Amino acid sequence: MFNYSATKETGSKSWVYQRITGIILVVFTIGHYILMHYQPDNGKTYEAVLGRMQSPWYRLIDLVFVTFAMYHGLNGIWNIFRDYKLKPWAKISILTLLIVFGLAFVFWGYQIIFSIPFIQ
């Protein structure tokens, strides 16, 4: 019925990844909201966060959250720019800036998550 093949220019893979990361982020956001706002014993103090971060699962959840949120946000920004007819040098410049800033902020997030010490 449909004869459609994805190419680099269609953005179909980008569209699919945007939807997948969006769904994952909704699930993570709901989980975060329930954890932080519906359970008063979890607290928001440094000690409470340090206690939660002793679990490798919480660290993994935070790493996934940071990675997917950055991808989702930057992919959305890139898709806005793709709507305009930009010159090739402008596309390359914008995409390079998005990638550099994205990697820098993901690295920064990872550094913060991994800098939290495990208490023996």
Side-chain angles (χ1 to χ4, degrees), residues 45-105:
T45 63
Y46 176 79
E47 290 78 19
V49 173
L50 185 61
R52 271 195 305 274
M53 292 303 285
Q54 298 308 302
S55 167
W57 288 109
Y58 277 109
R59 289 186 188 227
L60 180 64
I61 287 169
D62 282 351
L63 292 172
V64 171
F65 206 174
V66 165
T67 305
F68 283 8
M70 187 59 64
Y71 173 83
H72 185 80
L74 294 178
N75 188 35
I77 292 170
W78 175 240
N79 284 326
I80 291 169
F81 282 110
R82 286 186 59 207
D83 286 341
Y84 297 98
K85 300 219 181 292
L86 299 173
K87 296 183 192 278
W89 66 267
K91 282 184 181 181
I92 291 170
S93 300
I94 292 168
L95 187 58
T96 301
L97 282 172
L98 289 174
I99 290 171
V100 167
F101 282 121
L103 289 174
F105 278 105

Side-chain angles (χ1 to χ4, degrees), residues 6-69:
T7 66
K8 274 183 138 179
E9 295 301 315
T10 64
S12 62
K13 287 181 185 176
S14 176
W15 183 89
V16 169
Y17 295 151
Q18 188 76 358
R19 294 332 179 248
I20 291 170
T21 57
I23 291 168
I24 292 169
L25 287 172
V26 165
V27 170
F28 274 81
T29 302
I30 291 169
H32 168 81
Y33 190 81
I34 290 170
L35 173 73
M36 296 306 293
H37 301 286
Y38 281 124
Q39 298 192 8
D41 57 327
N42 279 331
K44 296 169 192 73
T45 63
Y46 176 79
E47 290 78 19
V49 173
L50 185 61
R52 271 195 305 274
M53 292 303 285
Q54 298 308 302
S55 167
W57 288 109
Y58 277 109
R59 289 186 188 227
L60 180 64
I61 287 169
D62 282 351
L63 292 172
V64 171
F65 206 174
V66 165
T67 305
F68 283 8

